[in-house]
Amino acid sequence: MTTLFYPHPHSLLLLLPVFLIAQTSQSNNISNHNCPSYNCGEITISYPFWRIDNESTTQFCGYEGFGINCSTIGDRSIPEITLNGDSFYVWRILPEYRSVILADLDVSFLPPVPDSCPRLQHGIDLETLPFYFTTSNTNLSFHFNCTGCPSLATEIRIPCFESNQRKSCVHILSTTTQEEVDWSEYICSDEVVTTVISREYMLLDISTKLGEILERGFELEWSRMDDCEKCEGSRGQCGHSNKTGFICFCSDGTVSRGDCKGSKTDLPKKLAISFGSAVFGILLMCVVFYIWRRRQNKRRSYGSSYRSRNISSFTSSMTDPEKNGAYHGVQIFKYRELEKATNYFDSRNELGDGGFGTVYEGKLKDGRVVAVKRLYENNYKRVEQFMNEVGILAHLRHRNLVSLYGCTTHHSRELLLVYEYISNGTVADHLHGEKSSPGSLKWTTRMSIAVETASALVYLHASDVVHRDVKTNNILLDNSFTVKVADFGLSRLFPNNVTHVSTAPQGTPGYVDPEYHECYQLTNKSDVYSFGVVLVELISSKPAVDITRHRHEINLSSMALSKIQNDALHELVDPHLGYDTDNEIRKMISAVAELAFQCLQNDRDSRPSMDEVLECLVGVQNGMSSNKHNMLDGTSDDAVLLNHSHDMSPDSVAVAWSTSTLSTSSG
């Protein structure tokens, strides 16, 4: 016979203030159901931003100055915001970081005037707006048509800005350099200061990519407006009316000129909700306590080890960060929200799977389409460690990395990661998968894919993150064929001190560093090896592993090394790329093949770093100017190596390649 256990009445009275406090704190959170949301292009316009339309000319819900005009240029919807008279394209809105990425609208979308330079945007006056620049930006000071450049400024070649053989100079504008750079000895015709994202200007050549650097814009953060503090503190949302000025939209549908505490229906509603929540909470506690007591009685018969493991699990569940909406700076999604978004992980929504888990397409309540990765169970770290690592990965931002929005713990039962959704499939799909067709992926597009992927890996390595699973299935493409690298750093979420190496997902067959099987460690140079396989896939359109090929060529890396060493590159190259008909493409493919050869060296020390790989690829893409990248002319060391590599060992090629790289960089 089962005996019901009821808590003491006094304990229930003690719990009542807890639920009242919880309800009160919940009421202080900002509710977003009053202000409507709109989709414009690739972004969602939601509070505190608002869409400029006919209705908003008299009244709007959102921050003043945060109006976004959704215009149309060609067949594209363009979200546009105006700051003190200047128009900017809204690249992204990141509500979880309270930041927005903007770019000069003229640079981004208006057709260029022939023989003109990209317009440099002058400094933005933010004193009257609740925006401020983030630390991810850099101010660059350009000086044009100068008689010379000071030692602390860098001379650059921007042909469209130069005349009469004068020079152009640029330097990072900060308090230190402003004091030290002396321009008294030089005369310049013009000076312009502009703001760009630091990483973009560091990775791209300003001389040839100025327009692209400006197009990628800069980042601003926003703060709460003064008038909104009381309104949002009472669960309202700020707005503006031409008749009354500032207004507050309350959760009960009323509008106030101050806050929502004076709403006629607000107080009774709060009391009713608080009382109902308290009663429901007390009943729920009784049920939970009863269930917990029964489970505790059952566990006594299972031994101390099982009991201790469940105590640890129960402690984790009691501190579940799902209840707070954020943890260590990471957005926490409700498990049930993601369950519904993916139609309960319906197999028809499955996008793919890998060594870490299965990915599903989902649609959140706010309309965003996301990719939900369902990690395989029982092999990830403790919840707290897991959240710390997710926090690190979520703050990595690069235009060629898939954005990690957050995760859910669901009381440590199952861990899910939420990413932005990329709709155009993977590079593998376009090379030899369901989206592939002969000649559909041009060589110029493949070069861009290689450069952008390398750029993302350079950023990860600079952030002390090793990808550990670089492959064409983890390189996604958006509708404009811009690269989005996925699954970066996921190995950080798994324990390092595993007793059996096979329990930790490390790489994919065909891409794994050969030295991994000797030391069981993956490093930055392991990513370089895997990227070498990706380069060969881009050249050949062949999969990394194919058991239908000859047994010595099942691994694409082995096939590539053999073909290059035996001067048979033409047998490896996709015949639809123009290798036999276009001399320029032939030179570029040969240079990329030689670079892949260096990346695929068995000895890690013989491989280049990702910085060197990116520098080489950018040189190939830009036409291999003789000053910095002399790899394609008839006298270059690497051209000779490529033509005669079958007479040399891989180690001797690596030594010569390193010497060539050093000589070009020092020159």
Side-chain angles (χ1 to χ4, degrees):
M1 178 177 179
T2 302
T3 303
L4 294 177
F5 178 85
Y6 295 96
H8 194 277
H10 290 176
S11 65
L12 298 182
L13 293 176
L14 290 174
L15 289 172
L16 182 59
V18 174
F19 287 102
L20 292 176
I21 293 172
Q23 181 61 36
T24 303
S25 63
Q26 182 182 357
S27 67
N28 288 333
N29 294 330
I30 299 174
S31 173
N32 291 330
H33 68 274
N34 295 316
C35 294
S37 297
Y38 306 93
N39 291 326
C40 181
E42 297 180 355
I43 72 165
T44 299
I45 304 173
S46 59
Y47 185 85
F49 293 90
W50 46 278
R51 188 180 69 174
I52 298 176
D53 52 21
N54 293 333
E55 296 180 2
S56 64
T57 57
T58 58
Q59 180 173 290
F60 59 81
C61 181
Y63 285 7
E64 193 168 3
F66 281 44
I68 295 179
N69 181 36
C70 190
S71 57
T72 302
I73 298 181
D75 58 350
R76 295 190 60 179
S77 296
I78 306 300
E80 172 188 349
I81 192 170
T82 301
L83 302 179
N84 290 334
D86 290 324
S87 296
F88 297 92
Y89 172 69
V90 182
W91 268 109
R92 292 184 68 187
I93 297 176
L94 306 169
E96 61 270 30
Y97 303 111
R98 302 179 71 88
S99 69
V100 59
I101 298 178
L102 307 178
D104 184 357
L105 188 66
D106 293 347
V107 173
S108 299
F109 289 100
L110 294 186
V113 179
D115 301 325
S116 69
C117 282
R119 184 169 72 88
L120 288 170
Q121 177 65 45
H122 288 265
I124 306 170
D125 181 13
L126 299 177
E127 291 186 2
T128 60
L129 297 170
F131 286 106
Y132 54 93
F133 288 108
T134 68
T135 56
S136 64
N137 298 308
T138 294
N139 288 332
L140 298 180
S141 177
F142 292 89
H143 296 256
F144 303 118
N145 292 325
C146 301
T147 56
C149 299
S151 59
L152 293 178
T154 303
E155 179 183 342
I156 58 172
R157 286 298 307 256
I158 307 181
C160 61
F161 279 119
E162 295 179 357
S163 62
N164 300 325
Q165 303 301 316
R166 290 193 171 190
K167 301 178 180 180
S168 297
C169 315
V170 64
H171 69 90
I172 301 176
L173 190 60
S174 64
T175 304
T176 304
T177 54
Q178 276 183 304
E179 293 177 355
E180 295 181 357
V181 175
D182 183 10
W183 292 92
S184 59
E185 299 180 11
Y186 308 98
I187 300 175
C188 303
S189 63
D190 194 14
E191 176 185 357
V192 174
V193 177
T194 190
T195 303
V196 298
I197 294 178
S198 304
R199 175 59 58 175
E200 305 300 344
Y201 112 85
M202 292 173 64
L203 291 178
L204 296 176
D205 183 0
I206 295 179
S207 300
T208 58
K209 298 292 185 179
L210 176 60
E212 187 174 348
I213 292 174
L214 297 176
E215 182 181 337
R216 296 182 185 183
F218 52 90
E219 186 173 6
L220 297 178
E221 292 185 5
W222 72 79
S223 57
R224 174 183 286 178
M225 300 188 71
D226 293 337
D227 292 338
C228 292
E229 187 171 357
K230 291 183 178 180
C231 174
E232 292 179 350
S234 61
R235 298 189 69 209
Q237 292 179 315
C238 304
H240 182 85
S241 170
N242 288 349
K243 295 181 180 179
T244 60
F246 170 80
I247 54 177
C248 181
F249 293 89
C250 300
S251 58
D252 60 3
T254 61
V255 177
S256 170
R257 296 188 61 181
D259 54 45
C260 298
K261 294 179 180 178
S263 174
K264 294 181 181 180
T265 60
D266 196 39
L267 183 59
K269 182 183 291 186
K270 284 186 176 180
L271 291 175
I273 293 175
S274 299
F275 180 77
S277 298
V279 173
F280 176 77
I282 292 171
L283 295 175
L284 183 61
M285 283 294 293
C286 293
V287 174
V288 169
F289 194 86
Y290 165 69
I291 295 174
W292 176 79
R293 185 60 176 254
R294 287 193 62 185
R295 288 185 176 179
Q296 286 295 102
N297 291 334
K298 288 183 179 180
R299 287 171 184 168
R300 290 193 182 99
S301 61
Y302 292 156
S304 59
S305 60
Y306 181 85
R307 199 162 51 241
S308 62
R309 186 166 68 248
N310 275 275
I311 291 173
S312 175
S313 175
F314 180 74
T315 303
S316 297
S317 70
M318 291 297 288
T319 58
D320 180 21
E322 267 192 7
K323 301 176 182 177
N324 302 321
Y327 188 76
H328 286 273
V330 181
Q331 182 177 356
I332 302 301
F333 292 87
K334 295 289 186 182
Y335 179 84
R336 291 196 176 184
E337 177 187 2
L338 299 181
E339 199 175 34
K340 292 179 180 178
T342 58
N343 195 20
Y344 299 92
F345 301 104
D346 191 334
S347 59
R348 289 172 293 184
N349 288 355
E350 187 174 324
L351 299 174
D353 55 14
F356 295 97
T358 306
V359 183
Y360 297 83
E361 180 182 350
K363 188 173 184 179
L364 301 179
K365 292 184 293 186
D366 60 8
R368 281 185 296 169
V369 179
V370 295
V372 180
K373 180 176 283 290
R374 194 180 194 183
L375 296 179
Y376 296 140
E377 297 183 16
N378 301 325
N379 58 354
Y380 37 72
K381 295 180 179 179
R382 294 174 56 243
V383 172
E384 185 177 0
Q385 291 175 283
F386 178 88
M387 298 301 298
N388 287 335
E389 299 296 346
V390 171
I392 293 173
L393 299 180
H395 286 82
L396 295 176
R397 300 187 205 169
H398 189 278
R399 75 184 297 264
N400 299 124
L401 290 180
V402 174
S403 295
L404 174 59
Y405 293 151
C407 63
T408 178
T409 63
H410 192 60
H411 299 293
S412 306
R413 182 175 71 83
E414 189 171 15
L415 297 177
L416 311 175
L417 299 176
V418 183
Y419 293 91
E420 69 172 321
Y421 175 73
I422 309 299
S423 58
N424 200 18
T426 68
V427 172
D429 293 336
H430 289 271
L431 288 177
H432 41 69
E434 60 186 13
K435 293 179 178 288
S436 65
S437 60
S440 61
L441 204 60
K442 303 298 182 184
W443 174 249
T444 53
T445 304
R446 300 187 189 208
M447 273 301 306
S448 297
I449 290 171
V451 170
E452 292 176 6
T453 304
S455 174
L457 293 176
V458 167
Y459 173 79
L460 289 176
H461 290 180
S463 305
D464 295 326
V465 174
V466 181
H467 190 292
R468 290 182 170 87
D469 199 16
V470 177
K471 57 183 177 181
T472 50
N473 274 318
N474 279 338
I475 304 173
L476 310 183
L477 298 172
D478 65 13
N479 290 329
S480 61
F481 285 86
T482 298
V483 162
K484 296 287 185 178
V485 175
D487 278 10
F488 52 93
L490 284 189
S491 57
R492 296 177 66 104
L493 308 182
F494 292 81
N496 295 322
N497 57 341
V498 290
T499 55
H500 300 286
V501 176
S502 60
T503 63
Q506 300 284 355
T508 299
Y511 297 88
V512 181
D513 182 355
E515 286 198 359
Y516 173 72
H517 301 292
E518 298 177 9
C519 59
Y520 299 106
Q521 288 183 343
L522 294 178
T523 65
N524 289 359
K525 290 298 183 74
S526 304
D527 283 354
V528 172
Y529 182 93
S530 302
F531 182 72
V533 180
V534 171
L535 290 180
V536 178
E537 283 191 70
L538 290 172
I539 291 172
S540 66
S541 300
K542 301 178 187 295
V545 175
D546 188 351
I547 60 174
T548 64
R549 295 195 291 250
H550 187 275
R551 67 186 185 92
H552 296 298
E553 296 181 344
I554 290 177
N555 274 2
L556 185 61
S557 57
S558 300
M559 178 195 292
L561 291 173
S562 174
K563 298 296 184 186
I564 295 173
Q565 282 184 311
N566 293 311
D567 200 16
L569 181 59
H570 61 281
E571 297 178 7
L572 179 69
V573 176
D574 183 341
H576 299 92
L577 294 180
Y579 180 82
D580 295 324
T581 58
D582 189 319
N583 190 48
E584 279 300 310
I585 290 179
R586 182 186 184 92
K587 290 180 178 179
M588 295 175 76
I589 291 177
S590 297
V592 174
E594 175 59 26
L595 178 61
F597 185 90
Q598 308 308 322
C599 294
L600 294 175
Q601 296 301 302
N602 281 339
D603 181 15
R604 289 179 179 175
D605 294 334
S606 298
R607 303 171 200 156
S609 66
M610 279 310 307
D611 295 274
E612 293 170 326
V613 170
L614 176 60
E615 182 181 1
C616 180
L617 287 172
V618 170
V620 175
Q621 189 182 46
N622 291 341
M624 303 303 295
S625 64
S626 59
N627 291 334
K628 284 191 176 181
H629 304 281
N630 57 354
M631 297 176 63
L632 297 180
D633 58 34
T635 60
S636 70
D637 294 337
D638 294 305
V640 174
L641 288 175
L642 188 59
N643 292 332
H644 303 284
S645 59
H646 62 286
D647 296 326
M648 306 176 69
S649 68
D651 291 340
S652 62
V653 174
V655 172
W657 185 88
S658 300
T659 305
S660 171
T661 304
L662 289 174
S663 64
T664 56
S665 61
S666 61

